Amino acid sequence: MQPNATRVRIISVVGARPEFVQVAVLSRELRRRHEEILIHTGQHYDAGMSGRFFEDLAIPRPDLNLGIESRSPSIQTGNMIGALASAIAPLDADLVVVRGDTNSTLAGAIVAKQLLLPLAHVEAGMRSYDRTMPEEINRVVTDHLADLQLVTDDDARVRLAAEGIVRGIYVCGDVMYDLFLRARERAAASLTESLSALARAPFALLTLHRAENTDDRERLRAIVDGFSDAPLPVIFPVHPRTRARLTEFDIVLPSPIVATEPLGYLEIVALECAARTIFTDSGGVQREAYFAGVPCVTLRDTTEWTNTVDAGWNRLAGADSAAIAAFCRDPPGVQPERPPLFGDGNAAVRIAAAFDAPETAAILAQARATRRARAHAAASER
Ligand code: UD1
Ligand code: UDP
C-alpha cells in the first residue's frame, strides 16, 4: 500500500473471460494501494476459459468461487445475485467493483446496491444502442446504479452525461490496453509449435461467440459461409458456446478455417499481432486489433467501440456472407494514423487513485453512515 493513501476495502467481482483479462493489471494496482477481496462467480469454469488466465497472467487466486455455472441467462443471473449477496454481506466492505457488461457484472451491481455498498463500474459509458444484446442491458443498468464510473475516454463521459449521469466520472483509459502493452513482448513465445508454424505464413484470425450470432442458426451459418473461399487460413479458437451451437445446428466449418480450442491470453495476443485481418464479434478483440495495429472486421450490426470504426481501423460486416467473403479476398488496409484512443497504459493506476480521491471518500463515508443507521434501526426493532 502507498503511504498517505486512504485504504479502501474493495470487493472485486469477476466471472467471465473478459473480466479476468481486465482484472490482471488492475488487481495488482488495487492491492498496492487498497485491500481487495476477489470473488469469482463461476460463470466461466473450464480450465481454458478461467483457471488458465489466473495462472498465465499471475492474477491472485479468487478468495471465493461461487460456482454459479451456465444456465439460462435469467437463472444464471438470479443464482449469482443470491450467492453474491450471501458472500458479500459479512465482509464489511467499502466498495464493490465490477467491469464491463457480463451477467456477473450485472449481478455484482445489483447486490452492491441492495447491500447499500457504493458501486464502481470499470469500462462504464459504452453503448451499442441495441437492447436486444444482453451486454447492452447489463451496461445500461450497471451504469445507472454505479456511484463511480471509470471510463476509457471522454466520449464515454459524454454518453453518460446524455443519460443524466454526471457525477463520479473518472477518465482513466483502458485496463485491457495496460495489459496488452505488458504482454505483447512475451506473447510470441507462448505459441505451440503448430500455431507458430501456421502464424509464419499470412493468415486471418476469427473469434465468434456473441449470443446474437451463435444462437441464430441463419446468422451463424451465414458467417461461417463467408469464409468458404478465403484465400488465407483462418485461425479460429472456438468458444464453448459456439462449439455447442455448431454441433446443434449441424454446421460444418469450411476448409480455410483452422479450428482450435479457446486460447490463452498470450497466445491470442501473439496471433492478433501477426494476423493480416481480425474477424470478430468480441468487444475485447476489437480493441486488441486496434492496439496491435491490425485491421478489424466486426461480425456484428453495431458496436460500442465506435471510436475504432471512426478511426478507420474497424469495419462492420454483420453476418453478411458476401461482405465477409469480400474482406477475405480484399483485406482492409492499415490506416496512416492510430491515435491513442485507449490511454497510455496507466489506466489501472488512475482507477486505484480514483478510489481514494476526496470525492470517493465522501461517497464511502456517506454509505457507511447509512448502513450503520439502518443496522441500528433494525437492531432497535428487534
Ligand atoms: C459471456 C458474456 C459475453 C462475453 C463472453 C466472453 C454474458 C451475458 N455474456 O458470454 O458478454 O463476451 O462471456 O467470453 O454474460 N461454457 C462452457 N464452459 C465455460 C463457459 C461457458 O462450456 O467455461 C458454455 C456453456 O455451454 C454455456 C455457454 O458456454 O451455456 C455460454 O456461457 P455464458 O457464460 O452464459 O455466456 P458466454 O457466451 O460465455
Ligand atoms: N481471448 C482469449 N482466448 C480466446 C479468445 C479470446 O484469451 O480464445 C481473450 C481476448 O483476447 C480478450 C478476452 O479474451 O482479451 C475477452 O474476450 P472475449 O472475446 O471472451 O469477450 P468480450 O470481450 O467479447 O466480452
Side-chain angles (χ1 to χ4, degrees):
M1 202 181 76
Q2 292 195 341
N4 306 323
T6 310
R7 187 165 168 274
V8 179
R9 189 167 159 87
I10 294 167
I11 308 282
S12 275
V13 177
V14 295
R17 184 165 67 182
E19 293 157 331
F20 310 143
V21 174
Q22 285 159 333
V23 91
V25 178
L26 185 56
S27 241
R28 228 167 296 147
E29 215 41 63
L30 290 183
R31 283 163 196 234
R32 244 193 261 281
R33 221 165 159 126
H34 306 292
E35 182 186 358
E36 186 194 39
I37 301 169
L38 188 60
I39 304 186
H40 187 328
T41 63
Q43 177 172 350
H44 285 177
Y45 45 90
D46 289 348
M49 296 292 292
S50 174
R52 172 152 196 203
F53 289 83
F54 288 83
E55 284 157 30
D56 289 358
L57 302 177
I59 302 168
R61 277 175 66 86
D63 296 281
L64 278 171
N65 187 324
L66 305 177
I68 309 294
E69 296 185 357
S70 312
R71 297 280 184 283
S72 76
S74 308
I75 295 175
Q76 183 187 55
T77 311
N79 288 347
M80 284 180 195
I81 289 174
L84 277 172
S86 307
I88 295 175
L91 292 178
D92 192 26
D94 293 308
L95 179 69
V96 174
V97 184
V98 296
R99 324 169 161 70
D101 51 23
T102 70
N103 289 340
S104 298
T105 311
L106 177 66
I110 289 173
V111 168
K113 299 322 293 176
Q114 286 176 336
L115 295 177
L116 304 173
L117 287 164
L119 171 69
H121 186 201
V122 175
E123 210 181 282
M126 301 314 299
R127 294 288 181 272
S128 66
Y129 299 105
D130 174 359
R131 290 204 180 173
T132 65
M133 292 175 65
E135 292 82 6
E136 181 74 357
I137 297 164
N138 294 344
R139 290 180 202 120
V140 169
V141 174
T142 304
D143 284 345
H144 281 264
L145 291 178
D147 304 275
L148 298 174
Q149 317 277 355
L150 296 316
V151 300
T152 55
D153 67 3
D154 201 56
D155 291 349
R157 187 189 60 72
V158 171
R159 281 190 292 270
L160 289 173
E163 294 179 22
I165 302 170
V166 292
R167 299 186 59 193
I169 302 180
Y170 294 84
V171 180
C172 298
D174 187 353
V175 287
M176 289 186 71
Y177 186 48
D178 294 12
L179 177 63
F180 182 88
L181 290 179
R182 287 157 179 77
R184 72 175 163 192
E185 294 301 320
R186 61 195 167 104
S190 71
L191 287 180
T192 58
E193 189 39 52
S194 60
L195 276 178
S196 206
L198 258 177
R200 277 196 277 275
F203 70 96
L205 178 66
L206 166 65
T207 82
L208 179 70
H209 68 275
R210 289 301 180 100
E212 70 266 26
N213 285 330
T214 58
D215 293 9
D216 178 326
R217 182 193 299 259
E218 294 320 313
R219 278 185 79 91
L220 185 56
R221 192 181 297 281
I223 291 172
V224 165
D225 280 354
F227 295 98
S228 297
D229 297 319
L232 301 177
V234 180
I235 303 179
F236 179 28
V238 189
H239 188 289
R241 174 194 280 275
T242 315
R243 192 170 288 284
R245 294 296 177 269
L246 288 168
T247 305
E248 182 187 334
F249 300 149
D250 209 11
I251 297 174
V252 177
L253 296 174
S255 60
I257 294 186
V258 182
T260 74
E261 291 301 308
L263 298 175
Y265 176 79
L266 294 173
E267 290 174 312
I268 197 145
V269 166
L271 294 181
E272 286 166 347
C273 291
R276 176 75 183 78
T277 313
I278 296 176
F279 293 87
T280 191
D281 60 1
S282 156
V285 176
Q286 285 177 69
R287 279 176 278 164
E288 286 161 356
Y290 188 83
F291 305 158
V294 173
C296 184
V297 176
T298 292
L299 305 169
R300 283 168 38 185
D301 301 325
T302 58
T303 179
E304 58 283 7
W305 299 102
T306 47
N307 51 357
T308 59
V309 176
D310 296 342
W313 285 89
N314 190 3
R315 289 162 172 73
L316 296 181
D320 181 342
S321 299
I324 296 167
F327 282 125
C328 287
R329 276 192 310 275
D330 185 14
V334 297
Q335 299 296 310
E337 285 182 29
R338 197 153 44 96
L341 301 177
F342 296 96
D344 59 2
N346 289 306
V349 174
R350 292 199 185 85
I351 291 171
F355 293 163
D356 55 40
E359 308 80 58
T360 306
I363 292 169
L364 303 189
Q366 172 71 52
R368 217 174 288 126
T370 306
R371 290 197 300 279
R372 244 186 247 125
R374 290 283 174 89
H376 185 71
S380 16
E381 267 172 31
R382 281 200 288 272

